[in-house]
Amino acid sequence: MGEMEDFIPVLEVKELKDGSMKLVSVEGTPVLLIKQAGKIFAIDNRCPHQGCGFSGGTLDGLVIVCPCHEWRFNLVTGEYEEEPAMKLTKFELKIKAGKIWVRLEE
Ligand code: FES
């Protein structure tokens, strides 16, 4: 099948403006797409603390702040600032044919 195996198209690249987020559902999993500083990230919308939706939170540079208890997670590493062993779930993504493609399993 090649390099796109298991990747699912989830959004047109042009629909995601820099500095914004978009929540999509991929086979029942809530995936939050984020574009910040020209980079695109795909994370599980459920915060690893108590499951709140990151989509209601805010971006602070390359950090996403959970709306429930304001825990700060680095989008590049996935790490919670206060306790790096606790990470949000990131998904692998690719850009192809003008679309963002996500692979759910890690
Ligand atoms: S649920 Fe996200 S910080 Fe508590």
Side-chain angles (χ1 to χ4, degrees):
M1 281 286 292
E3 56 165 15
M4 296 305 286
E5 195 168 5
D6 299 330
F7 281 84
I8 300 163
V10 295
L11 194 72
E12 298 275 334
V13 175
K14 63 174 185 279
E15 288 182 65
L16 193 62
K17 303 253 182 296
D18 205 55
S20 76
M21 318 191 245
K22 206 143 217 164
L23 181 62
V24 297
S25 176
V26 185
E27 296 184 340
T29 299
V31 175
L32 186 63
L33 300 164
I34 300 159
K35 187 169 183 186
Q36 187 72 315
K39 297 188 189 68
I40 297 176
F41 305 91
I43 67 171
D44 192 311
N45 192 48
R46 297 165 291 196
C47 178
H49 178 220
Q50 288 182 5
C52 280
F54 282 121
S55 57
T58 54
L59 293 169
D60 179 9
L62 291 173
V63 166
I64 187 157
V65 186
C66 181
C68 286
H69 314 98
E70 297 181 344
W71 286 21
R72 297 166 55 86
F73 293 84
N74 185 299
L75 290 169
V76 177
T77 62
E79 293 171 348
Y80 170 39
E81 283 187 348
E82 305 293 318
E83 195 184 326
M86 181 170 259
K87 293 183 179 187
L88 52 70
T89 301
K90 288 182 69 176
F91 300 116
E92 211 183 324
L93 67 86
K94 288 182 190 289
I95 308 296
K96 192 170 184 184
K99 292 188 172 71
I100 301 168
W101 302 63
V102 169
R103 179 158 67 187
L104 288 184
E105 66 257 45
E106 292 167 67

